[in-house]
Amino acid sequence: MKRTLLAVIITALLSVPLLAGPLKVVCTVTDLGWLAAEVGGDDVEVSVLCPGEYDPHFLPARPSLARKLGKADLLCYTGLDLEVGWLPVLMDKARNNRVRPGRPGDLDCSQALLDVLEVPAGEVSRAQGDVHPHGNPHYLLDPRLGLAVADLMARRMAELRPDLADAFGQRARELEADLRPRIAAWEAAATELRQKPLMVYTKQWEYLAHWLGLEILGAVEHRPGISPSPRHVDQVIQRAKTAGVATLVAAPWNHLDAAEKAASRMGAALVILPAAAGSLDGIDSYPQVFDQIVAQLTAANSK
Ligand SMILES: [Zn+2]
């Protein structure tokens, strides 16, 4: 009899949802990790799957990452197929029902966007390379969209932990109050960059350019993940020379030897910009990404 009672009590205890302790948030990329930590504060435990120095298009799906994902209460990802090469593999291995598509723990952060840039018209085939069929997913390089994501995260965290809703909302508002003046300052510093078009090595700077009013004339690697044909490279270089382009922008994980070669043929300077928090030494936070981008582009421009 006693034993039965004990079993009933244990069963009852186990079925009570554990609301105590921090919410375990797993983010695919560092910028999302930074935003989640700002919004969640001490009420969340954040871990990131793709380290800042890795190209998020091509992360090896290691078992240790699946174990991390297996513990998540909330999964935040960029979406628009940025993580399509590895996140589904990790999801299969992690077997975590809390973060399956459609569950409250599944957060596609691209839902915060009103406009997606570069949605391809017509059919997309693999021959076009690792092209993003739902549009360009590199929206976190516009900090205004980072704020929209923070707001979305706060609302989802509040759904998962209604007891902490006020704290999440409050932190999202504080982040906005902190970032808005910085965004205005970055915009002001970038006005002088608007006159001079840029070349890029891969197509991931479009949201940055759209935000700051910069003109991108072309991309050396125009099909992500596929080496460009010599003919395409020649054309891009010719276009850069004709327009007097002084800067070729690359991400730290691009093929920097090829980028260096292309830049020198253009007569331009290769500028390696932090494409995410942690992608370059000393750039550890999301705002530092923009501090550095604006500083480097301005310095390159004044040469
Ligand atoms: Zn991409």
Side-chain angles (χ1 to χ4, degrees), residues 58-277:
F58 310 108
L59 183 71
R62 296 206 178 90
S64 61
L65 299 180
R67 283 197 293 277
K68 260 190 198 178
L69 187 54
K71 294 175 192 148
D73 299 314
L74 172 62
L75 165 67
C76 303
Y77 53 99
T78 317
L80 299 173
D81 280 354
L82 177 69
E83 299 99 340
V84 75
W86 49 274
L87 190 56
V89 181
L90 292 179
M91 286 292 281
D92 267 357
K93 289 184 190 157
R95 297 174 180 277
N96 179 349
N97 280 325
R98 292 185 299 278
V99 299
R100 284 215 185 281
R103 299 299 302 268
D106 161 75
L107 185 59
D108 174 350
C109 293
S110 73
Q111 286 169 3
L113 273 69
L114 298 176
D115 282 311
V116 175
L117 299 182
E118 302 192 305
V119 180
E123 285 287 292
V124 171
S125 84
R126 293 308 287 177
Q128 291 165 273
D130 187 34
V131 75
H132 301 299
H134 303 295
N136 190 312
H138 303 286
Y139 57 84
L140 289 167
L141 284 169
D142 177 343
R144 300 168 304 174
L145 298 176
L147 281 179
V149 167
D151 188 56
L152 181 70
M153 285 176 170
R155 280 182 279 136
R156 183 59 65 85
M157 287 176 187
E159 270 173 48
L160 290 167
R161 291 293 297 270
D163 54 321
L164 300 170
D166 289 347
F168 295 136
Q170 176 66 26
R171 287 195 209 96
R173 284 191 293 279
E174 281 166 12
L175 177 64
E176 168 132 32
D178 178 45
L179 273 189
R180 284 287 175 204
R182 302 179 74 166
I183 289 173
W186 292 319
E187 288 170 354
T191 45
E192 61 174 277
L193 303 172
R194 292 193 185 146
Q195 317 307 327
K196 304 216 181 133
L198 303 167
M199 281 290 177
V200 295
Y201 193 74
T202 50
K203 295 177 66 58
Q204 64 176 86
W205 307 99
E206 286 66 23
Y207 288 87
L208 178 84
H210 185 253
W211 163 48
L212 292 176
L214 313 178
E215 189 189 351
I216 294 177
L217 269 193
V220 179
E221 245 187 45
H222 62 312
R223 298 167 176 178
I226 291 186
S227 294
S229 69
R231 187 162 162 262
H232 173 77
V233 177
D234 287 347
Q235 283 170 350
V236 169
I237 285 164
Q238 200 46 54
R239 214 180 314 150
K241 280 180 167 171
T242 308
V245 167
T247 306
L248 171 65
V249 170
W253 51 69
N254 287 155
H255 298 118
L256 295 182
D257 289 350
E260 187 66 71
K261 214 186 258 176
S264 83
R265 285 182 62 198
M266 287 174 192
L270 177 64
V271 177
I272 300 163
L273 297 180

Side-chain angles (χ1 to χ4, degrees), residues 15-50:
S15 65
V16 171
L18 289 171
L19 283 175
L23 191 70
K24 291 191 180 64
V25 183
V26 170
C27 298
T28 52
V29 295
T30 52
D31 291 340
L32 292 179
W34 188 87
L35 291 166
E38 287 290 310
V39 171
D42 290 341
D43 298 316
V44 298
E45 230 168 59
V46 177
S47 53
V48 171
L49 299 175
C50 181

